[in-house]
Amino acid sequence: MPRITLPDGSTRDFDHAVTPYEVAADIGAGLAKAALGAKIDGVLSDLNTTIEHDAQLAIITDKPRDDASRHDMLYLVRHSAAHVMAEAIQRIIPGVQLVYGPPLDTGFYYDMAVPEDRPLSSNDFELIEAEIEKIILENRPFTRVECPVAQGLDKLRAEGSKYKLDNAERAIVAGSDTLSWYVTGTPGANWEDLCRGPHVPSTGRIGAVKVLSLASSYWHGDENSDRLTRVYGTAFPSKKELDEHLELLEQARARDHRVIGKKLGLFHIDDMVGQGLILWTPKGSVVRTELQNFIAEELVKQGYTQVYTPHIGKLDLYRTSGHFPYYQESQYPPIVERESIEQLAQEGCSCAELANRLRDGEIDGYLLKPMNCPMHIRIFNSQPHSYRDLPVRLSEFGTVYRWEQSGELNGLTRVRGFTQDDAHLFCTEDQIADEMIGCLSLVTKIFRTLGMEDFRVRVGLRDPDSDKYVGDAANWDKAEQACKDAAATLGKPFSMEQGEAAFYGPKIDFVVKDVIGREWQLGTVQVDYNLPERFGLSYIGADNAAHRPVMIHRAPFGSMERFVGVLIEHFEGAFPLWLSPEQVRVLPISEKSAGYAKEVHAALAAAGLRTTLDDSNDRIQARIRVAAEEKIPYMAVVGPRDAEARTVSVRARGVQKDLGALPLVEFVKGLSMERDDRGEFTLKESMVPEAAGAG
RNA sequence: GCCGCCGUAGCUCAGUGGUAGAGCACACCCUUGGUAAGGGUGAGGUCAUGGGUUCAAGUCCCAUCGGCGGCUCCA
């Protein structure tokens, strides 16, 4: 007879098989009432699952006490909500066939095949939500019905639901010996869905559901298979939590770098220029330039040298590196010389033939560079090297072009032309570890300066069962160990992922978490044995013999485009002084102070500060509002009193009041220091200590 | 690339087959105001582009271009 062990270690003995609900009721009526499901020996289960043997049991309630049980609770609620939404949609559109409806971290979706003559549209959302609301109010129980495999398959065949039949067949292949349905209500009388569960006890326990968006998907994710309609939604046990979540979505939208970028005029993407090609406006260019300068300063400290390379190079270069034609589909097509084209035309070469001959290397041309490394390699190779020269560290803010699929393009974070903070290190095996550590310290320094302390590293290792990797096993072992050792020096946890290595070497990736918890994959450090081989690189060792160097590719911030995009979202457009396109705005109270305002403006400009003078014909309130909306860090308001005393009245971003008057020279000095230290609001904090961090 | 939705003034967006709209921004005038919107006047449009249906198209249909959300992809 079962002995139930609860999370606190206490046990309860029963002389008969019990359900989690009964155990909960045995503990207390309140718990039973709050219960939504259970974890039996670590397996998330229905509340009325029969427990016949000794088991560990945790009751999942609608008021979870820790993250793990909150995750489980939301899983139950959302999985159940997916069913209710599917039922609602089938009520509205009877011909809809169900495919697959799992919960997600932030909600759930349901894939369905919708009749062509009655597509779903977002106009249907209100209707669907109203229908969901009805089903929730009816508070029908989720009833599990199990049946033997053969009988279940017959039932699905009889219903003609090919997708569910496929799901069932997959479940059987995976080892299921029964099939289960969940009925919302009474079997035979109410709506049902093939599902392994578990679910909340009844539809009334779902709380609040919101239908969010429509998308399309493919059956099994295969683009040659059936196209399905995916309906996204989210659910919470209460309306309050749902509203809070929707509020968070709003906030994320307000933080979107595309929205802020447009509002603050940081960058522009122009139809006439091309998709995924960024035009950096004057303001955005300031942010990028300041960032590049900062990174470049650190690189000099680390012994890097800077190079410049052209935007195009001969196809042969990329044939040697292997980028062409191997990654051809993600490159802009080659540029072929006019004479070659004319000659081919005379020969009557067809387009198809041209494509083939290009691919096969029979026609010369140029490629818009998809990678900087081949050119850096040729720089390395332009001179003989001694082991005494190594490591050679060639860095470049190198612009590359890749043909990303049009559906993938997204603001600054996924583009077709971008500038990597790229560098290639040519070193000996023994130097790999130190070079990796150098890369990590650069990343740490820059993230810390930007207040992005929350980042993690991911070490990508080879898949031991695969033979796709180049280089010998001993080298791989050493390189992987170097990556792990380097990651360990950070003193924070890092993950190791097998099979995530590039085919030419292991790597370390950097993933930052922004202020609202989203993760962004930025840069990467990769060890490469392949390219030195392909280009026949060598250095002369202490033994006076030629040796093959190892290459490290590193772009710790990925691309300037993506990095600035992430920064825009991180700061919500409110950049620290040193990055701000406009650092301080001078605001005369009225025309009477225009002369002094010009003086203030000139003094700030002379100190190299980016400043403007707003002497437009508006009241001071209106001009302050405009400057605040533009997220300018400091305002210098000047009136007759300031002109008299040679002061400025300081107002700082994030503080809804005048911070008081400061002598002009002090103001210039304070701003200059804050800028040079790349600090955040050190001047503001010196004026109002209690406002520290309020910005 | 695929599916769905969308494209109206610089921006945000209304617009029911029948005369093209609002707010903000912009220009000019009045106002000279000490810390988050003072008032007035005005200019601004090939309703993404090209076809079609119709007496009549911003509105309906088709194609193209572009955006968004997903799917797939990401050296």
Side-chain angles (χ1 to χ4, degrees):
Chain A
M1 291 292 100
R3 163 171 286 199
I4 304 298
T5 308
L6 296 164
D8 64 0
S10 67
T11 58
R12 279 167 195 260
D13 293 309
F14 293 88
D15 56 6
H16 52 85
V18 287
T19 67
Y21 179 80
E22 287 161 0
V23 178
D26 192 48
I27 296 168
L31 182 63
K33 198 169 165 228
L36 289 177
K39 215 150 189 180
I40 304 171
D41 289 331
V43 179
L44 196 59
S45 309
D46 291 330
L47 204 52
N48 61 0
T49 306
T50 307
I51 307 173
E52 294 179 15
H53 305 290
D54 294 358
Q56 302 274 341
L57 177 71
I59 303 294
I60 307 295
T61 74
D62 53 14
K63 293 191 182 54
R65 296 208 185 133
D66 56 64
D67 285 350
S69 37
R70 178 172 169 77
H71 185 267
D72 290 337
M73 179 275 285
L74 289 173
Y75 182 100
L76 290 167
V77 167
R78 289 166 178 171
H79 192 189
S80 305
H83 274 230
V84 171
M85 182 180 78
E87 179 177 354
I89 291 172
Q90 284 195 323
R91 276 193 192 176
I92 295 164
I93 308 177
V96 166
Q97 284 215 59
L98 302 179
V99 183
Y100 179 55
L104 304 169
D105 279 348
T106 57
F108 61 87
Y109 67 80
Y110 215 118
D111 277 346
M112 39 191 82
V114 178
E116 275 180 34
D117 57 344
R118 175 60 173 93
L120 262 176
S121 95
S122 45
N123 298 328
D124 294 319
F125 288 0
E126 274 187 39
L127 219 61
I128 297 169
E129 283 170 5
E131 210 56 44
I132 290 171
E133 184 64 19
K134 271 192 229 164
I135 298 168
I136 288 176
L137 285 175
E138 287 164 19
N139 196 21
R140 302 194 306 250
F142 274 91
T143 313
R144 183 184 173 95
V145 177
E146 285 193 30
C147 73
V149 163
Q151 194 186 327
L153 290 177
D154 284 346
K155 175 178 155 73
L156 289 168
R157 280 193 204 99
E159 289 168 359
S161 53
K162 82 172 191 190
Y163 303 106
K164 287 289 170 181
L165 185 61
D166 178 77
N167 287 353
E169 281 164 352
R170 282 162 177 260
I172 293 161
V173 169
S176 289
D177 47 8
T178 60
L179 292 175
S180 60
W181 270 260
Y182 276 80
V183 185
T184 35
T186 314
N190 287 104
W191 189 86
E192 63 178 22
D193 189 13
L194 175 81
C195 176
R196 80 179 162 194
H199 286 284
V200 297
S202 66
T203 58
R205 303 300 299 281
I206 291 169
V209 180
K210 178 90 184 158
V211 181
L212 291 173
S213 64
L214 276 178
S216 92
S217 62
Y218 301 106
W219 194 22
H220 303 157
D222 173 5
E223 66 175 296
N224 297 313
S225 188
D226 296 10
R227 282 190 291 270
L228 306 170
T229 300
R230 177 170 296 183
V231 189
Y232 282 87
T234 194
F236 286 88
S238 71
K239 179 85 166 63
K240 182 165 168 280
E241 287 166 274
L242 174 66
D243 288 344
E244 282 167 7
H245 177 77
L246 295 177
E247 174 68 20
L248 205 71
L249 290 182
E250 278 294 308
Q251 277 174 26
R253 174 71 191 154
R255 205 173 259 285
D256 190 315
H257 74 277
R258 292 164 302 183
V259 174
I260 293 176
K262 189 175 262 184
K263 205 161 88 185
L264 300 185
L266 296 171
F267 64 93
H268 174 63
I269 301 171
D270 194 283
D271 290 2
M272 205 177 262
V273 174
Q275 285 184 292
L277 300 172
I278 305 302
L279 299 176
W280 291 82
T281 56
K283 287 182 180 175
S285 299
V286 167
V287 180
R288 171 173 166 171
T289 303
E290 289 292 345
L291 213 51
Q292 284 186 187
N293 290 346
F294 181 30
I295 294 170
E297 280 172 30
E298 295 303 314
L299 291 182
V300 170
K301 290 181 198 165
Q302 287 199 5
Y304 282 72
T305 50
Q306 176 137 17
V307 298
Y308 291 102
T309 64
H311 287 222
I312 65 171
K314 280 187 172 176
L315 275 182
D316 259 347
L317 177 68
Y318 294 101
R319 288 198 187 99
T320 303
S321 70
H323 294 122
F324 188 88
Y326 192 51
Y327 294 110
Q328 197 173 187
E329 76 289 347
S330 54
Q331 295 162 0
Y332 278 84
I335 301 162
V336 179
E337 286 174 30
R338 193 184 327 263
E339 282 176 13
S340 307
I341 293 175
E342 281 164 2
Q343 172 144 13
L344 288 162
Q346 274 177 13
E347 290 168 16
C349 174
S350 72
C351 292
E353 202 182 331
L354 173 65
N356 288 337
R357 289 173 64 180
L358 259 179
R359 185 199 57 218
D360 297 341
E362 291 167 18
I363 300 172
D364 268 334
Y366 290 83
L367 199 60
L368 211 40
K369 74 174 167 184
M371 292 285 229
N372 297 306
C373 33
M375 294 199 186
H376 291 183
I377 287 169
R378 294 303 292 171
I379 290 176
F380 176 83
N381 213 27
S382 65
Q383 289 189 327
H385 290 278
S386 152
Y387 71 98
R388 294 171 187 274
D389 303 337
L390 303 185
V392 168
R393 308 182 184 92
L394 303 179
S395 72
E396 177 181 15
F397 290 99
T399 305
V400 298
Y401 298 88
R402 299 183 189 175
W403 187 262
E404 300 287 352
Q405 294 188 56
S406 64
E408 282 309 321
L409 300 172
N410 179 283
L412 292 177
T413 57
R414 197 74 188 268
V415 293
R416 282 186 174 161
F418 55 95
T419 302
Q420 298 176 308
D421 59 317
D422 211 359
H424 295 92
L425 316 180
F426 301 85
C427 64
T428 66
E429 293 268 345
D430 297 339
Q431 291 169 330
I432 294 174
D434 279 348
E435 293 308 310
M436 304 280 294
I437 289 171
C439 293
L440 290 175
S441 71
L442 173 72
V443 169
T444 311
K445 166 90 189 270
I446 289 170
F447 280 173
R448 189 183 302 134
T449 303
L450 293 166
M452 304 169 89
E453 306 267 0
D454 204 358
F455 72 97
R456 64 189 177 89
V457 303
R458 212 164 47 192
V459 180
L461 306 172
R462 69 193 190 278
D463 176 355
D465 299 327
S466 169
D467 56 4
K468 71 171 182 176
Y469 301 102
V470 301
D472 64 70
N475 281 343
W476 268 89
D477 288 341
K478 273 199 265 180
E480 290 187 345
Q481 194 55 48
C483 287
K484 289 186 235 175
D485 291 348
T489 63
L490 281 172
K492 53 164 81 184
F494 59 92
S495 62
M496 288 186 281
E497 294 175 31
Q498 290 204 334
E500 285 300 304
F503 72 89
Y504 49 74
K507 63 175 181 173
I508 294 181
D509 290 332
F510 304 102
V511 182
V512 287
K513 197 178 253 186
D514 70 18
V515 280
I516 56 173
R518 288 171 306 179
E519 289 201 325
W520 299 87
Q521 148 94 56
L522 291 176
T524 178
V525 182
Q526 305 181 343
V527 182
D528 185 357
Y529 294 97
N530 180 46
L531 283 178
E533 192 74 39
R534 295 184 78 114
F535 280 90
L537 300 185
S538 68
Y539 65 91
I540 305 300
D543 56 0
N544 198 32
H547 297 272
R548 189 79 75 210
V550 180
M551 260 179 85
I552 296 175
H553 305 245
R554 37 115 291 167
F557 305 102
S559 73
M560 299 315 295
E561 285 74 10
R562 177 175 290 182
F563 194 36
V564 169
V566 170
L567 279 185
I568 290 171
E569 307 213 357
H570 175 74
F571 289 119
E572 211 167 350
F575 294 104
L577 187 77
W578 67 281
L579 285 175
S580 282
E582 183 178 344
Q583 295 170 315
V584 51
R585 181 166 295 179
V586 182
L587 303 170
I589 294 287
S590 75
E591 275 173 24
K592 285 177 197 147
S593 311
Y596 180 61
K598 282 202 178 94
E599 253 186 81
V600 171
H601 177 252
L604 291 163
L609 289 157
R610 295 183 288 269
T611 176
T612 62
L613 172 64
D614 181 0
D615 55 0
S616 63
N617 186 14
D618 271 319
R619 291 175 64 205
I620 190 67
Q621 286 88 336
R623 284 176 287 146
I624 284 171
R625 181 186 149 92
V626 168
E629 283 187 343
E630 290 179 32
K631 300 183 194 259
I632 295 162
Y634 287 98
M635 293 176 224
V637 178
V638 294
R641 292 203 298 268
D642 295 293
E644 178 73 19
R646 301 203 59 79
T647 59
V648 298
S649 297
V650 180
R651 190 170 163 128
R653 187 177 63 212
V655 184
Q656 295 272 343
K657 61 174 188 188
D658 180 2
L659 293 181
L662 212 58
L664 175 57
V665 286
E666 293 296 316
F667 184 57
V668 172
K669 207 158 85 183
L671 283 181
S672 302
M673 275 175 61
E674 182 172 325
R675 171 195 61 196
D676 296 342
D677 294 346
R678 298 194 171 102
E680 191 162 11
F681 280 132
T682 48
L683 175 64
K684 174 171 98 178
E685 285 166 22
S686 73
M687 296 183 76
V688 272
E690 71 273 20

